[in-house]
Amino acid sequence: MTEFEKTVRKALIDKEMSISELAKKLGISLTYLYDILNSSRKAEKQKKKILNILDIK
């Protein structure tokens, strides 16, 4: 598990949001989101959106 994925998962728990809810807010598939989280895809724009949605600094 990458540091980015750990950070996102902790924020999801804090906000009581599921990973599928995050994917819906981003307008992407759950599979694509998993690829972003485990660094199979770079997706820098999506990562910035994730940080904004979850209010991660």
Side-chain angles (χ1 to χ4, degrees), residues 29-42:
S29 71
L30 193 54
T31 305
Y32 185 44
L33 179 53
Y34 279 122
D35 286 348
I36 294 167
L37 293 177
N38 68 32
S39 295
S40 295
R41 298 190 186 227
K42 298 232 183 228

Side-chain angles (χ1 to χ4, degrees), residues 2 4-6 13-17 19 25 28-29 37-38 41-42 44 46 49-50 54-55:
T2 65
F4 181 71
E5 184 175 1
K6 285 180 188 176
I13 291 167
D14 291 343
K15 296 206 177 282
E16 297 180 359
M17 183 186 297
I19 197 161
K25 285 188 177 207
I28 61 175
S29 71
L37 293 177
N38 68 32
R41 298 190 186 227
K42 298 232 183 228
E44 294 302 321
Q46 294 296 343
K49 286 182 183 178
I50 292 168
L54 297 176
D55 197 29

Side-chain angles (χ1 to χ4, degrees), residues 7-24:
T7 303
V8 169
R9 288 187 181 272
K10 285 178 187 174
L12 286 170
I13 291 167
D14 291 343
K15 296 206 177 282
E16 297 180 359
M17 183 186 297
S18 72
I19 197 161
S20 58
E21 287 175 304
L22 178 58
K24 281 184 185 178

